[in-house]
Amino acid sequence: MNIVTNDMVIHNKFEDKETAIKQIRSSIQILMQLKKDGNFVRLSAARNIFQKMELAQGYYFEQLFYENNDVFDQKEKMILKTMLVNFNKIDLTEERFDFENIESLQCAWAALNDAFLFSIPTEKKWAADKLSGILRGKEEAKSVEIKNIALKSHIKTYEKQLGIRKYEFNPKHKINIGWGTEMDLDDQEAQELLMAAVPVDESYRHLVAKKNGRYYSFRCHYENCYHGYWDNTMSEKNRNIVDRNFT
């Protein structure tokens, strides 16, 4: 799962420094929650779009790191550095994404790779949960929607696609006692495997994974909560999906 910085936001500024600081703090909280609840590590980008970015009139991104700790504490500054500045490098192609007369190769990469965008909402339009535009290639153009994360509520909207999952043991899978297929992993091992599991349906209600040569299924029984079991009868189709994603 890749989350790409929306480089189109640099075309706008906040109305003043105070608004910029308030929104940046909110964006940091979103990144911290993604890291805590999912397997997210850092954002992806082709370049550092925040370098010399003017957040508000006369107030630049780099100045965030020199604010007093009562404005941004050291943990918040570290999040800014490790997730925004030290990003995962992506290689762009010639395709471009057109959105309200703004072009972005980086957002085109997100559309082509079914990735998320992470937007600091310098303007209201960047706070939508999806950005709709035109993806243009060498010979064709088509309408696309890119999933966007700009508000805390968007994490809830996309929790399944983001891989935010909670393992809950079901007694029916208890070894030698339960009446269902056994789960031979402890809760911590199962939680870690669940976070790496891949979907076999569009609803993300059935996830599959592999550990120590064994295949496992996880089933969603409530919101983003899953129980799991050793699936020794997994179909060949689903085993192939697992094998492509686990080595």
Side-chain angles (χ1 to χ4, degrees):
M1 181 265 297
N2 282 291
I3 305 179
V4 180
T5 50
N6 178 3
D7 57 347
M8 297 185 291
V9 303
I10 64 175
H11 294 279
N12 308 108
K13 293 184 288 191
F14 293 105
E15 56 182 322
D16 51 45
K17 175 182 174 180
E18 290 71 24
T19 303
I21 288 175
K22 181 180 179 180
Q23 185 55 63
I24 294 296
R25 293 198 69 181
S26 178
S27 294
I28 291 173
Q29 293 301 313
I30 293 171
L31 293 171
M32 291 174 70
Q33 186 174 339
L34 286 170
K35 184 176 182 180
K36 175 179 177 292
D37 294 342
N39 54 8
F40 171 70
V41 178
R42 59 173 59 90
L43 295 167
S44 299
R47 60 187 179 90
N48 181 5
I49 70 167
F50 301 104
Q51 187 175 16
K52 298 181 180 180
M53 176 184 175
E54 191 173 22
L55 296 171
Q57 187 66 37
Y59 186 69
Y60 293 84
F61 180 82
E62 286 77 9
Q63 291 175 254
L64 298 172
F65 297 99
Y66 298 98
E67 293 289 352
N68 294 330
N69 286 339
D70 58 342
V71 178
F72 293 105
D73 61 29
Q74 290 304 312
K75 184 177 182 180
E76 290 172 322
K77 292 175 182 177
M78 184 59 67
I79 290 291
L80 286 174
K81 183 175 181 181
T82 57
M83 294 193 181
L84 297 183
V85 179
N86 297 332
F87 50 85
N88 289 324
K89 183 73 165 59
I90 57 175
D91 295 320
L92 303 178
T93 57
E94 294 183 8
E95 289 84 357
R96 64 188 187 276
F97 177 72
D98 287 355
F99 178 82
E100 297 187 5
N101 298 318
I102 305 174
E103 285 190 357
S104 169
L105 300 181
Q106 196 155 282
C107 293
W109 189 97
L112 290 166
N113 291 276
D114 194 28
F116 287 85
L117 290 180
F118 178 78
S119 300
I120 296 177
T122 50
E123 194 168 281
K124 186 177 181 180
K125 62 187 176 185
W126 306 125
D129 62 351
K130 291 179 182 177
L131 298 184
S132 301
I134 305 297
L135 181 65
R136 302 188 188 279
K138 289 182 178 179
E139 299 179 355
E140 63 177 2
K142 61 180 180 179
S143 298
V144 296
E145 285 187 335
I146 310 178
K147 299 181 290 290
N148 187 45
I149 300 173
L151 308 175
K152 273 194 172 183
S153 61
H154 295 162
I155 297 178
K156 180 66 176 177
T157 300
Y158 294 119
E159 62 183 0
K160 284 187 170 63
Q161 296 94 325
L162 288 167
I164 298 174
R165 307 159 183 168
K166 181 181 179 182
Y167 176 74
E168 292 183 344
F169 178 73
N170 190 316
K172 74 178 183 181
H173 298 301
K174 192 170 185 179
I175 296 177
N176 298 326
I177 298 177
W179 57 95
T181 308
E182 296 177 348
M183 167 52 87
D184 58 343
L185 304 177
D186 63 34
D187 287 357
Q188 181 176 346
E189 291 175 318
Q191 177 66 49
E192 291 173 355
L193 190 61
L194 172 61
M195 296 302 291
V198 294
V200 294
D201 62 346
E202 292 183 359
S203 66
Y204 285 75
R205 297 191 64 82
H206 183 194
L207 309 176
V208 292
K210 188 176 184 180
K211 183 179 177 67
N212 298 329
R214 285 190 167 189
Y215 295 90
Y216 292 87
S217 276
F218 293 93
R219 301 282 185 168
C220 179
H221 55 265
Y222 176 72
E223 292 188 348
N224 65 326
C225 298
Y226 292 77
H227 64 276
Y229 52 91
W230 167 40
D231 195 350
N232 58 345
T233 62
M234 183 179 292
S235 68
E236 182 178 356
K237 176 184 176 182
N238 287 351
R239 286 176 186 247
N240 290 336
I241 292 174
V242 175
D243 291 338
R244 287 199 299 268
N245 290 274
F246 290 81
T247 56

